[in-house]
Amino acid sequence: QVQLVESGGGLVQPGGSLRLSCAASGSIFSINTMDWYRQAPGKERELVAGITTSGSTNYADSVKGRFTISRDNAKNMVYLQMNSLKPEDTAVYYCNAEVAEAVGGLYDGYWGQGTQVTVSS
C-alpha cells in the first residue's frame, strides 16, 4: 500500500504565495514521475506541473513562470512553490506519483487526497 498526503494549502490574497508539499509513504521501492494536478469547481482536472527522477520539469502554460515544482528523492516528497497567485488558481490541488513497490516491479499511479487553495481578496 502507498499513500500520498498533500499539505500547505489555504487562503491567500491575489499576488501572494503558497508552498504545497506531498509526502509519499508505505511500500515504496522507487518513484518515477511526480506531478501536481488541480481541479476547480465545475471543471476537469488538469495537469499543473510534472517532474522526472532526474529533475526534468514541465508546466501548464497558465502557471509557467509563476510556479516551480521540485522533489526530494531521499524523502519521497514533491513540492509546488506557487508565486504571484491569481483568483483563477483557486482549486483543489492533487499530488500524483508513479510508484514501484519492489525491484523490477511495475509503476502504479497513486493520488493524494487533495489540498484546497483559495486565492481571494
Side-chain angles (χ1 to χ4, degrees):
Q1 185 67 263
V2 176
Q3 299 83 38
L4 301 180
V5 179
E6 302 98 333
S7 62
L11 175 64
V12 64
Q13 294 184 350
S17 298
L18 284 174
R19 181 177 170 85
L20 305 183
S21 299
C22 173
S25 62
S27 302
I28 300 173
F29 173 74
S30 66
I31 302 178
N32 193 25
T33 302
M34 303 185 81
D35 308 291
W36 285 98
Y37 287 77
R38 68 186 181 187
Q39 187 165 20
K43 295 186 177 181
E44 297 288 328
R45 187 188 306 121
E46 64 174 342
L47 177 66
V48 177
I51 185 168
T52 68
T53 55
S54 62
S56 179
T57 61
N58 67 282
Y59 299 91
D61 288 340
S62 59
V63 307
K64 196 170 299 181
R66 299 187 298 121
F67 291 10
T68 302
I69 188 171
S70 61
R71 65 190 289 170
D72 186 331
N73 292 331
K75 296 181 178 179
N76 293 328
M77 296 191 71
V78 63
Y79 309 92
L80 186 67
Q81 178 66 47
M82 306 186 295
N83 299 326
S84 301
L85 284 162
K86 305 174 180 179
E88 49 263 47
D89 294 319
T90 296
V92 177
Y93 284 70
Y94 297 92
C95 176
N96 176 270
E98 298 173 330
V99 180
E101 299 183 47
V103 61
L106 298 177
Y107 284 94
D108 295 320
Y110 294 88
W111 292 92
Q113 82 289 348
T115 184
Q116 177 71 49
V117 172
T118 302
V119 185
S120 175
S121 299

